[in-house]
Amino acid sequence: MRRNPPDAPTSTAEEDPTARAAPPGRAGPLAALRASREFRALWISNVFFFGGAWTQTMVLGWIVFDTTGSEFLLAVFTAVRLAPMLLGPLAGVLSDRHDRVRLLTLACCWALGAAVALSALETTGQVPYWALVLGGLAIGLAQSPSQPARSALVLSLVGRRHLSNANALNAMAMNMTQVVGPALGGALISAFGAAAALWISAGWYGLSLLALRPLRRARGARDAELPRVEESLKVMLVGGVRHILSSRLATGVLGVTLAANVLLWPVYQAFMPVFAQASLGLDADGLGWLLTCSGVGGLIGSTVIAALGDFPFKGGLFVFGTAGWAALWGAFALSHQVAVSFVLMAGIGLLSAAFAVLQTTLLLMTTEPAVQGRALGVQELAIGVMPLSSLVLGASAQYVGVATTTFVSALILVAFLACLALRMPALWRYRGV
């Protein structure tokens, strides 16, 4: 990924594209949106793009399980849809070497085309399983590889002054769409059918594409004046791995990321339709609200962590918060009461923020600035094992049930975190201040 050299001078007002756009002292929670018209366009595009992605994720998962009745086939679909996450490091290189606005435009067009094709097939009749799998892959190829370009554009559009605020606003957009998307998908299936839900989610991609138009004229979007790293993908990966292995704290953080993405994140990505139908007797609308509870909890958790600022117990919240998140998953797996399950899912979303927010924060704090991009590339690979673990968990769920599989996975993660806390107390004692 592109990084300024370690000895690069600090950006000045002349280098900051928004230094003259925002008057002194004009801050607040919407500072970046006020300061940059181009960032407003990017933010709006993100809202529609991820709103469409979350809606389609829920609708397609529902269709797959409703038509096949197989936990394993649902896991295969999820694994294929998430497989493009493995392209994260390569996508970072592409975002440094090509026009990022064009990459985002291509991603929107690709997602729109795939969504229209799936919607048309569902409208004409039942979509065959292989078409659902290919459609999930196409949407994954639009979503995951475009992430580095979306993130890299922010600095060039808002400058260093508003970078933190802009990233917080992007996180809020992600959480809002996670709340609205599943609930909307479930409501649309119940009211109009799966085909209508897919057509509406396709429309969201179209709106995301339209919102990108102002960015095509943005001077800051091209980053032509910034230095570029011509390292190959292999060099980036090897450098990141070597640096992480040289730091026990960074290795511990990455170990937690890997364990969580092997054991429990695939459950949320793949098996929620199974819990909704088989364990709780919910319809598509109920599944949407169940996922919305998680999104609301995650939004609240992220907001609380943001409000804490530079708090001193980062390592402790990361380790013990993740352990609490796993314990709640174990309780959720045993629950057959709808009300209890909704409360537990909200708690799962709340504590997931401790893991989701702090894994990257701690990795950046425990690595040198010169190799942070490569370290994050290795982290993306750790997250990218989720499709493979989905297949393993899906095979287990096919034989022993999704509830038993989830409960055992939760216990294993709690045990792993307990051992890590005992063997590496420096991680949970890490203050990072």
Side-chain angles (χ1 to χ4, degrees):
M1 298 178 66
R2 175 180 50 75
R3 295 282 171 180
N4 286 338
D7 57 348
T10 303
S11 296
T12 63
E14 290 75 20
E15 295 170 323
D16 191 332
T18 63
R20 294 181 298 274
R26 189 177 187 182
L30 304 179
L33 291 174
R34 292 170 176 165
S36 171
R37 181 174 68 93
E38 290 78 19
F39 176 71
R40 287 198 300 273
L42 177 63
W43 190 83
I44 293 171
S45 178
N46 288 344
V47 168
F48 285 120
F49 187 89
F50 290 106
W54 277 110
T55 303
Q56 277 208 328
T57 295
M58 182 270 167
V59 174
L60 291 176
W62 177 268
I63 293 174
V64 168
F65 188 67
D66 191 52
T67 55
T68 66
S70 170
E71 291 91 342
F72 181 71
L73 291 180
L74 178 59
V76 171
F77 165 79
T78 303
V80 173
R81 183 178 63 80
L82 297 178
M85 294 177 65
L86 294 170
L87 301 176
L90 175 60
V93 174
L94 293 176
S95 72
D96 284 339
R97 296 180 178 178
H98 298 280
D99 186 280
R100 291 164 181 157
V101 176
R102 289 181 181 174
L103 290 175
L104 295 187
T105 301
L106 177 61
C108 282
C109 291
W110 182 272
L112 178 60
V116 168
L118 285 172
S119 303
L121 287 173
E122 180 66 20
T123 301
T124 58
Q126 190 178 60
V127 185
Y129 176 73
W130 63 265
L132 292 169
V133 172
L134 289 180
L137 176 62
I139 293 171
L141 285 171
Q143 182 178 352
S144 297
S146 68
Q147 282 299 95
R150 291 182 190 279
S151 300
L153 268 176
V154 175
L155 177 59
S156 59
L157 294 179
V158 304
R160 296 173 63 90
R161 176 182 177 187
H162 296 299
L163 179 60
S164 178
N165 180 259
N167 285 331
L169 288 168
N170 276 334
M172 292 288 290
M174 287 284 291
N175 283 311
M176 285 190 297
T177 56
Q178 185 179 355
V179 171
V180 174
L184 179 62
L188 288 172
I189 291 176
S190 297
F192 306 109
L198 289 176
W199 279 114
I200 291 175
S201 64
W204 284 46
Y205 289 130
L207 293 173
S208 176
L209 180 62
L210 290 176
L212 288 174
R213 291 185 63 185
L215 283 171
R216 297 170 189 169
R217 300 184 295 270
R219 291 179 301 170
R222 303 303 186 264
D223 288 4
E225 75 283 1
L226 292 178
R228 296 179 183 272
V229 176
E230 298 298 332
E231 292 178 328
S232 67
L233 175 61
K234 179 179 178 180
V235 172
M236 293 175 66
L237 290 178
V238 171
V241 170
R242 285 177 176 172
H243 178 79
I244 287 176
L245 293 179
S246 69
S247 169
R248 292 194 73 220
L249 287 176
T251 303
V253 172
L254 188 62
V256 176
T257 297
L258 181 63
N261 281 282
V262 166
L263 294 169
L264 283 181
W265 275 115
V267 174
Y268 183 80
Q269 292 288 341
F271 301 130
M272 294 309 294
V274 183
F275 276 114
Q277 294 187 48
S279 298
L280 302 174
L282 298 174
D283 58 10
D285 195 24
L287 171 60
W289 284 110
L290 187 66
L291 296 177
T292 296
C293 285
S294 175
V296 170
L299 181 61
I300 294 173
S302 299
T303 303
V304 169
I305 292 177
L308 289 175
D310 193 21
F311 61 96
F313 48 92
K314 298 180 182 69
L317 182 59
F318 176 64
V319 173
F320 299 121
T322 303
W325 172 71
L328 287 182
W329 267 114
F332 178 81
L334 300 177
S335 172
H336 294 280
Q337 300 295 321
V338 174
V340 173
S341 295
F342 272 58
V343 172
L344 288 172
M345 187 51 59
I348 287 171
L350 181 70
L351 289 184
S352 71
F355 169 78
V357 174
L358 291 174
Q359 62 173 336
T360 300
T361 300
L362 292 177
L363 187 60
L364 289 173
M365 286 184 170
T366 55
T367 54
E368 297 295 330
V371 296
Q372 285 175 348
R374 282 164 281 183
L376 291 172
V378 176
Q379 182 192 61
E380 188 70 14
L381 287 179
I383 297 172
V385 304
M386 196 189 309
L388 300 177
S389 61
S390 294
L391 294 177
V392 176
L393 294 178
S396 172
Q398 189 76 22
Y399 288 100
V400 302
V402 68
T404 301
T405 298
T406 301
F407 182 74
V408 172
S409 293
L411 285 183
I412 293 174
L413 183 55
V414 171
F416 169 78
L417 290 166
C419 292
L420 185 68
L422 292 174
R423 296 293 301 272
M424 194 182 295
L427 179 59
W428 63 265
R429 292 173 180 169
Y430 185 76
R431 297 169 59 89
V433 294

